[in-house]
Amino acid sequence: MRKSSALLALGLAATLCLPAFANITPPYAGADTSIRPQDDLFRFSNGQWLDTTEIPGDRRSYGTFMELRDKAQANVRLLVEDAAAHPAQDKESQLIGDFYASMMDLPTLDKLGVAPLKGELAALDQLKSTDDVATAMARLLAAGVATPVNMYVDADAKDPNTNVVYWVQGGLGLPNRDYYLKPGADSEALRTGYRAYMRDLFRMAGVANPEQAAQAAFDFELALAKIQWNEADRRDSLKTYNPTARDRWAKDYGPFPWTRYAAAGQMPENLGSVINEPSYLKAFAELAAKTPVETWKVYLQGRLLDSYAAHLSDNFRTAWYQFKGQQLQGLQTMPPRWRTSVEAADEALGEAIGARYVAKYFPPESKARMKKLVDNLLVVYKQSLENLSWMTPETRKAAVDKLSKLRVKIGYPDTWRGYEGLVIKREDAVGNLIRASQFDFARQMAEAGKPVDKSRWHMTPQTVNAYYSPVGNEIVFPAAILQPPFFDPKADDAYNYGAIGAVIGHEISHGFDDEGRHYDGEGRLRDWWTPADEKAFVKKAEDLISQYSTYEPLPGMHVDGRLTLGENIADLAGVSMAIKAYHLSLGGKKSPVIGDLTGDQRFFLGYARVWRAKDRPEWARAKIVTDPHSPARFRTNGVVTNLDAFYDAFQVKPGDKLFKQPGDRIRIW
């Protein structure tokens, strides 16, 4: 890396000398040299970028993730545009091209207006009983419309080799229950805006008495919100695992026509369901029984219109943007149609697009180098578990066993899912969206009760993200995230271990966070901890909850330390293990100094670099309420205050803002 032209002190402690970064090259460009890393590593690494970067008008936030998503999305755009311009290359390319072309055909959408939904709107207007409501709920769910009770298929948490059907709460038009219940002028303004938006949708769709319809639909959603679980409780794997046999549905959860709902949802007749929020389901049945059919009609019509407003005529798209984009997220311009169309195509035909994306944009050498990083992370995790002082030998042995059974998936699946039988018409955008959703829903339900396909991926290769599956005990890193600035083949190992290495460590550690620790090496939900180990873990977790709950990203709004606990544990463990893995990669040799930065300093700058981000105020408020991740600043600074390696790297002393006494530093894994 080219050195800065001026090697000046940064106004740091006299014992620390770093370059001024006046002309620094990637991956560390964007630093604020007026800030001491001992006081604010996040701003030291990213301050200049934060001060000079404008969030694009069609975005609610911007940063490292979004920059890379832009790149991946632009690459996907080239693929789908080529498929649209050259139909009949092969069956899947034809599907991709026809789907994308239909989404981009705004003149046809504008001409059709609400016509693509007229049939379903009319069917909902004919509802006469709760039985009809149950059937309509399942039909809408298959078409991609969230309803008060949603169902999906996944591995059974206590028998992870078999697929079961899960039932979960849903059906709100605002992001979650807090938007309906939280007091304050800002919250009330959003609720007022939402009612006005629904009124406009009803008016444009020709629904009678749109003002009253919007109020009735909102009041029903408010009633749902009052009985729904909060986000923190929904993360509890034990509370949300409630298997219920079919003949117990009515006895345990009340007189809603559950069997009719299941049948309309294509559930196998011999299966029950796993209920995530049992008290909600029971309260919902009571609410449903006393809700007039006329209310059900407008509520379900509202959910349908809201779900597809962004893909109808211009007046619907504008209404959707003005509320869902501007008021709710702070957007300043409508997203370009190509982006909306690419996202929809990705959702409908993700693996067909993924196969083409990998062939063109993912070099094999990236997978090989990534595997080496993962292997080193697994080595240090094993060493850490084997030497964990607060864990008893019995539990420690089980933890090491779980780690040894971890599956690692890098880049893309070995086999691609096909789309045989999916009907896509070049002139029918909304119909394509509905049929694609129905196709995926039917494929899910056909797998219920059958063995789990362990080769399956739950993200496409073109997704800029990663995940850990507790029931699969697997970590997955799609191809699109394995690019700069997360993974830079041109950067040295210190940077890559700080960036993608911390992401790898983060995902591995989800197997041992407050949720993942309840699953064993086979992905089975069971208690494999001794009471003493659980007590020790809970104490450390409570300390982390307390730490993050003090952070105030916006005036009067604090981080929810309990909601964000799992991600905070993963961040802390991920960086802790990644720095150890970096040291292991040196093979006993001393880390080189590059640009007057030691290897450990480059590591921490790499970590801070990947969390570079800024949010619009509206979206920042929404994330505090709904997001299980802490804001980017605290994902950086909150972690490093607990790591001795950070103190050593930057010679952090008492009086520095990021200093914690050694006894107060939280160490979990």
Side-chain angles (χ1 to χ4, degrees):
M1 180 169 61
R2 179 169 58 85
K3 289 186 178 181
S4 171
S5 59
L7 300 179
L8 305 174
L10 293 179
L12 308 182
T15 54
L16 178 63
C17 182
L18 294 174
F21 299 131
N23 300 303
I24 198 162
T25 57
Y28 305 113
D32 182 351
T33 59
S34 69
I35 302 295
R36 303 173 68 243
Q38 304 98 320
D39 292 331
D40 189 340
L41 178 66
F42 178 72
R43 181 141 193 111
F44 171 76
S45 301
N46 303 309
Q48 185 184 39
W49 182 91
L50 292 167
D51 290 341
T52 59
T53 301
E54 295 290 333
I55 300 174
D58 64 327
R59 301 300 177 83
R60 60 197 184 189
S61 61
Y62 202 66
T64 300
F65 272 89
M66 193 56 69
E67 288 173 341
L68 192 48
R69 284 171 184 163
D70 280 353
K71 179 180 178 181
Q73 202 168 61
N75 289 337
V76 170
R77 181 186 184 184
L78 295 175
L79 294 172
V80 298
E81 285 182 342
D82 179 71
H86 303 92
Q89 298 177 58
D90 57 73
K91 287 186 178 180
E92 286 195 346
S93 292
Q94 176 103 32
L95 291 177
I96 294 168
D98 287 351
F99 186 98
Y100 183 73
S102 74
M103 296 296 297
M104 292 295 292
D105 186 3
L106 295 184
T108 296
L109 292 181
D110 291 341
K111 179 181 177 181
L112 290 172
V114 77
L117 301 180
K118 275 290 188 182
E120 185 58 56
L121 289 170
L124 293 173
D125 207 36
Q126 297 302 310
L127 298 179
K128 292 181 172 58
S129 66
T130 309
D131 282 352
D132 293 343
V133 168
T135 300
M137 279 174 49
R139 186 173 69 245
L140 289 175
L141 182 60
V145 179
T147 67
V149 179
N150 299 319
M151 64 175 85
Y152 68 92
V153 174
D154 201 357
D156 186 339
K158 291 200 173 181
D159 179 15
N161 294 315
T162 304
N163 286 311
V164 293
V165 181
Y166 288 86
W167 286 4
V168 299
Q169 69 184 32
L172 303 181
L174 292 172
N176 75 2
R177 66 190 290 273
D178 291 347
Y179 280 78
Y180 297 83
L181 307 178
K182 187 176 180 181
D186 289 341
S187 297
E188 188 54 46
L190 281 176
R191 291 190 283 268
T192 299
Y194 177 55
R195 287 192 294 269
Y197 163 65
M198 293 305 300
R199 176 202 63 208
D200 291 344
L201 294 186
F202 284 132
R203 176 180 53 78
M204 292 184 293
V207 173
N209 302 312
E211 188 84 44
Q212 295 93 318
Q215 187 64 53
F218 177 83
D219 289 344
F220 183 74
E221 291 183 27
L222 175 61
L224 290 176
K226 289 178 178 178
I227 59 177
Q228 289 193 350
W229 288 26
N230 64 44
E231 298 296 339
D233 285 341
R234 296 186 73 203
R235 290 190 64 256
D236 191 313
S237 298
L238 301 178
K239 288 181 180 179
T240 55
Y241 184 79
N242 303 279
T244 307
R246 182 176 287 251
D247 62 4
R248 296 293 310 180
W249 286 341
K251 297 174 184 176
D252 291 350
Y253 303 114
F256 189 78
W258 300 115
T259 54
R260 181 178 287 266
Y261 173 65
Q266 307 167 55
M267 279 185 62
E269 293 182 0
N270 62 325
L271 293 186
S273 56
V274 176
I275 312 299
N276 272 26
E277 303 94 359
S279 64
Y280 165 77
L281 210 66
K282 186 173 183 178
F284 165 73
E286 295 172 359
L287 174 64
K290 64 183 181 183
T291 298
V293 172
E294 292 304 314
T295 298
W296 273 111
K297 290 179 183 180
V298 294
Y299 163 71
L300 292 174
Q301 287 174 329
R303 291 292 81 246
L304 175 66
L305 290 166
D306 180 34
S307 297
Y308 284 96
H311 305 296
L312 295 173
S313 52
D314 179 69
N315 53 342
F316 282 95
R317 297 195 302 271
T318 299
W320 174 89
Y321 163 69
Q322 288 175 342
F323 178 70
K324 288 292 181 80
Q326 286 183 316
Q327 190 170 359
L328 197 59
Q329 303 179 59
L331 304 190
Q332 296 178 355
T333 60
M334 186 180 289
R337 187 63 191 179
W338 72 262
R339 194 184 304 283
T340 304
S341 300
V342 164
E343 289 171 353
D346 216 21
E347 179 73 17
L349 297 158
E351 290 209 14
I353 294 172
R356 289 149 180 80
Y357 177 89
V358 166
K360 190 167 184 178
Y361 298 113
F362 188 60
E365 54 268 24
S366 292
K367 188 168 185 174
R369 191 170 175 189
M370 181 70 173
K371 185 177 184 305
K372 183 178 179 181
L373 283 163
V374 173
D375 288 344
N376 280 343
L377 262 297
L378 291 173
V379 168
V380 298
Y381 259 97
K382 183 173 183 290
Q383 292 172 347
S384 177
L385 289 172
E386 289 175 336
N387 295 284
L388 207 57
S389 61
W390 59 267
M391 186 173 274
T392 60
E394 178 186 349
T395 306
R396 190 186 305 132
K397 182 179 178 181
V400 172
D401 177 71
K402 178 174 183 176
L403 185 70
S404 72
K405 294 176 179 176
L406 182 74
R407 285 194 299 274
V408 180
K409 297 178 178 178
I410 299 172
Y412 52 90
D414 294 330
T415 57
W416 301 98
R417 303 191 78 180
Y419 295 87
E420 188 69 33
L422 174 59
V423 176
I424 298 296
K425 300 178 182 178
R426 202 172 180 92
E427 72 288 351
D428 188 15
V430 173
N432 291 337
L433 288 165
I434 291 173
R435 286 188 294 274
S437 179
Q438 291 170 333
F439 178 85
D440 182 70
F441 187 83
R443 181 153 60 180
Q444 277 194 62
M445 289 301 155
E447 295 170 349
K450 295 180 180 178
V452 173
D453 181 352
K454 303 286 187 178
S455 68
R456 186 74 45 80
W457 281 48
H458 299 292
M459 281 182 182
T460 63
Q462 59 272 28
T463 303
V464 180
N465 213 327
Y467 70 89
Y468 170 79
S469 167
V471 290
N473 191 28
E474 64 184 17
I475 52 174
V476 182
F477 302 97
I481 200 173
L482 304 180
Q483 300 180 75
F486 285 92
F487 176 65
D488 189 347
K490 297 179 180 179
D492 78 301
D493 279 350
Y495 174 85
N496 279 323
Y497 274 95
I500 195 66
V503 174
I504 297 168
H506 173 107
E507 299 304 336
I508 294 173
S509 68
H510 271 313
F512 305 94
D513 67 13
D514 62 316
E515 181 182 3
R517 74 182 185 87
H518 294 296
Y519 296 80
D520 65 15
E522 304 299 333
R524 186 176 295 104
L525 182 64
R526 70 176 182 88
D527 189 4
W528 52 275
W529 290 53
T530 67
D533 291 316
E534 182 173 6
K535 183 178 180 180
F537 177 86
V538 169
K539 171 63 172 65
K540 291 177 178 293
E542 288 293 337
D543 290 343
L544 207 61
I545 290 170
S546 298
Q547 174 188 331
Y548 279 83
S549 295
T550 65
Y551 296 142
E552 190 175 2
L554 292 174
M557 295 190 74
H558 285 77
V559 173
D560 184 339
R562 197 165 297 280
L563 171 62
T564 59
L565 177 60
E567 299 298 333
N568 295 335
I569 290 173
D571 283 343
L572 175 58
V575 183
S576 177
M577 296 302 163
I579 187 72
K580 294 177 182 178
Y582 168 59
H583 293 161
L584 176 68
S585 75
L586 295 172
K589 297 179 181 178
K590 189 174 181 180
S591 170
V593 174
I594 301 175
D596 282 1
L597 289 171
T598 68
D600 283 12
Q601 289 168 349
R602 296 195 304 278
F603 171 93
F604 283 108
L605 288 178
Y607 175 67
R609 168 69 177 83
V610 300
W611 296 119
R612 178 177 294 179
K614 57 194 304 185
D615 299 316
R616 296 194 186 281
E618 297 87 347
W619 185 238
R621 285 194 291 271
K623 286 171 63 178
I624 293 170
V625 174
T626 63
D627 195 347
H629 304 84
S630 295
R633 177 185 173 192
F634 305 116
R635 296 192 76 169
T636 304
N637 292 344
V639 167
V640 299
T641 60
N642 294 308
L643 299 179
D644 294 343
F646 171 71
Y647 290 76
D648 295 339
F650 291 101
Q651 301 171 27
V652 184
K653 306 293 184 185
D656 296 334
K657 291 181 181 178
L658 295 182
F659 179 84
K660 268 189 183 183
Q661 292 292 342
D664 294 332
R665 297 171 198 169
I666 302 168
R667 300 171 174 87
I668 300 181
W669 302 111

